[in-house]
Amino acid sequence: MTESAQPNNPLHGKTLEFIVKQLVWHYDWPELGRLIRIECFLNNPSLKSSLKFLRKTDWARKKVEKLYLDTFH
């Protein structure tokens, strides 16, 4: 799929890992856990555990994607 295939999708080409790293860089884990109240951000957070949870939990991934868009777009 080319970039032009989804011209109106601001998340196109951005991996979940990239999105989470950007949010952690911008907010840090404590603030991210305050903004999105999920256990993987609140209790001993790590990129690996967060990605594992977000990949299998659609509602949480959508919240992370929305926060990313609200923050950077």
Side-chain angles (χ1 to χ4, degrees), residues 3-54:
E3 284 292 319
S4 61
Q6 296 187 27
N8 296 323
N9 181 355
L11 295 175
H12 182 67
K14 292 178 175 54
T15 65
L16 185 57
E17 182 175 358
F18 173 83
I19 290 169
V20 173
K21 282 181 175 178
Q22 291 295 300
L23 289 172
V24 171
W25 172 81
H26 187 78
Y27 291 110
D28 209 359
W29 289 113
E31 180 67 6
L32 195 53
R34 191 185 69 71
L35 294 169
I36 302 174
R37 309 239 1 125
I38 53 178
E39 201 58 32
C40 64
F41 291 168
L42 295 168
N43 186 14
N44 196 21
S46 74
L47 183 61
K48 184 177 178 180
S49 67
S50 297
L51 290 173
K52 183 177 178 182
F53 176 77
L54 293 170

